[in-house]
Amino acid sequence: MSSAPTLKPEGRQRFREQICFGQLQPGDKLPFFAALCEHYEVGNTVIRATVLLLKTEGLIDGRQSKGAHVANPLPQ
């Protein structure tokens, strides 16, 4: 069983940098997935898998019916 595709490493790194360098602040809601798909030029499945990966890294919190937010506080 293969896992869902995520953003290429450089795309994931840009996403991480937006969080770690303050473009997205702790507690900020992530843009709508449609906007992320357009920005990264990928499909919804790729964005969802990437957000799930970043959740496992502790950078993003998922909130039922509230969307995905930058973790507050960020992991060290």
Side-chain angles (χ1 to χ4, degrees):
M1 173 189 240
S2 64
S3 60
T6 63
L7 287 174
K8 292 181 181 176
E10 56 274 8
R12 288 193 308 269
Q13 186 59 32
R14 281 196 318 250
F15 207 150
R16 283 185 193 95
E17 287 171 357
Q18 285 185 315
I19 295 170
C20 294
F21 295 132
Q23 290 172 313
L24 293 170
Q25 298 291 319
D28 281 356
K29 188 173 196 278
L30 293 185
F32 289 111
F33 281 16
L36 292 171
C37 290
E38 185 176 318
H39 176 77
Y40 288 103
E41 299 178 348
V42 296
N44 194 43
T45 303
V46 173
I47 293 299
R48 287 188 182 283
T50 302
V51 167
L52 182 60
L53 176 68
L54 295 176
K55 281 182 184 179
T56 65
E57 294 177 5
L59 293 175
I60 295 175
D61 287 329
R63 299 178 188 169
Q64 188 66 28
S65 75
K66 299 285 185 188
H69 292 74
V70 176
N72 189 10
L74 287 172
Q76 298 299 322

